[in-house]
Amino acid sequence: LLLDCRTHDTVQVRLDDPAVAVLIINTNVRHELSGGEYAQRRRQCEEAAKALGVRSLRDASMEQLMSSKERLDPVVLRRAHHIIGEIARTTDAAAKLENGDWLAMGKLMHASHVSLRDDYEVSCEELDVLVDLAGEIGPVGGVFGSRMTGGGFGGCTVSLVEAGKAQAIQAEVCLRYQEQTGIEPSAFVTRPGLGSRAVKV
């Protein structure tokens, strides 16, 4: 589902190839957010938007940001870089999914995680371990791409994988994750399906 959070418009995006599945792995860690990290990031993004002269970062381009980078605090610059880049990646990802371009979609997922880790700084060691392990398997082994999902600082990764290799990928990543972190993860393979709906009986 491609959701425009400004207008609330939605677009259904196809992900119905039976050869592709989604692997969810839970790090089974949750780091406490005691310092108001998300409120701080919102303020930083608002500061960037004000410096760029736009209503929100939704209205800014990467070229506009880069031309103004000397005027921005380095941390504020990184936050804005993530937001502007993620908006572009999201719309690009919808097109890649619609066309079944799994390799390109996987690259966008990886780029998203790197940006969440480095620019927005909401990842954590355990999430990075899972994404790195999936990346080591790569397309040759059946993993197109992987990234953290949700609020970060713990929680889950989502990976786009070949359906026929999903169980083997799950077993390998979970085993190696536990070996590296000492934490037993939980995981499941899923496919997109119809959401809640009224059923006539």
Side-chain angles (χ1 to χ4, degrees):
L1 183 70
L2 182 64
L3 168 65
D4 186 326
C5 293
R6 175 177 287 175
T7 65
H8 299 155
D9 290 340
T10 61
V11 177
Q12 296 284 340
V13 181
R14 288 175 47 200
L15 182 51
D16 55 1
D17 187 336
V20 176
V22 177
L23 170 62
I24 309 293
I25 303 182
N26 192 332
T27 61
N28 284 331
V29 297
R30 173 59 58 188
H31 295 287
E32 291 298 323
L33 302 181
S34 58
E37 284 87 351
Y38 274 97
Q40 182 184 56
R41 279 158 181 75
R42 177 172 181 158
R43 286 192 300 270
Q44 291 162 338
C45 290
E46 290 170 347
E47 181 181 336
K50 184 177 180 180
L52 296 175
V54 294
R55 175 182 167 191
S56 75
L57 291 176
R58 162 81 173 270
D59 303 309
S61 67
M62 193 63 74
E63 293 76 17
Q64 189 177 2
L65 177 66
M66 290 298 100
S67 68
S68 303
K69 65 181 181 180
E70 302 301 330
R71 298 189 288 112
L72 294 172
D73 173 86
V75 174
V76 170
L77 175 63
R78 290 201 304 273
R79 303 297 188 253
H81 190 270
H82 167 71
I83 295 297
I84 295 170
E86 193 74 348
I87 290 169
R89 281 187 291 271
T90 299
T91 54
D92 197 10
K96 297 296 186 284
L97 286 173
E98 194 69 31
N99 295 328
D101 191 342
W102 311 125
L103 287 173
M105 178 63 193
K107 290 177 181 177
L108 288 170
M109 292 175 73
H110 180 72
S112 177
H113 184 80
V114 169
S115 183
L116 285 160
R117 181 193 69 201
D118 298 345
D119 286 341
Y120 215 55
E121 296 182 282
V122 293
S123 189
C124 65
E125 180 182 356
E126 295 87 356
L127 286 167
D128 295 341
V129 167
L130 283 177
V131 170
D132 288 346
L133 290 172
E136 288 172 15
I137 295 172
V140 173
V143 177
F144 297 111
S146 185
R147 54 158 285 178
M148 61 161 277
T149 187
F153 303 106
C156 301
T157 61
V158 58
S159 302
L160 192 65
V161 302
E162 289 184 35
K165 299 177 180 178
Q167 295 299 331
I169 293 166
Q170 175 181 321
E172 179 178 348
V173 172
C174 287
L175 174 62
R176 294 179 63 193
Y177 172 80
Q178 187 167 359
E179 289 174 346
Q180 290 190 31
T181 66
I183 303 167
E184 183 177 359
S186 50
F188 62 95
V189 177
T190 186
R191 316 182 72 82
L194 293 173
S196 299
R197 61 199 185 281
V199 178
K200 292 184 178 180
V201 292

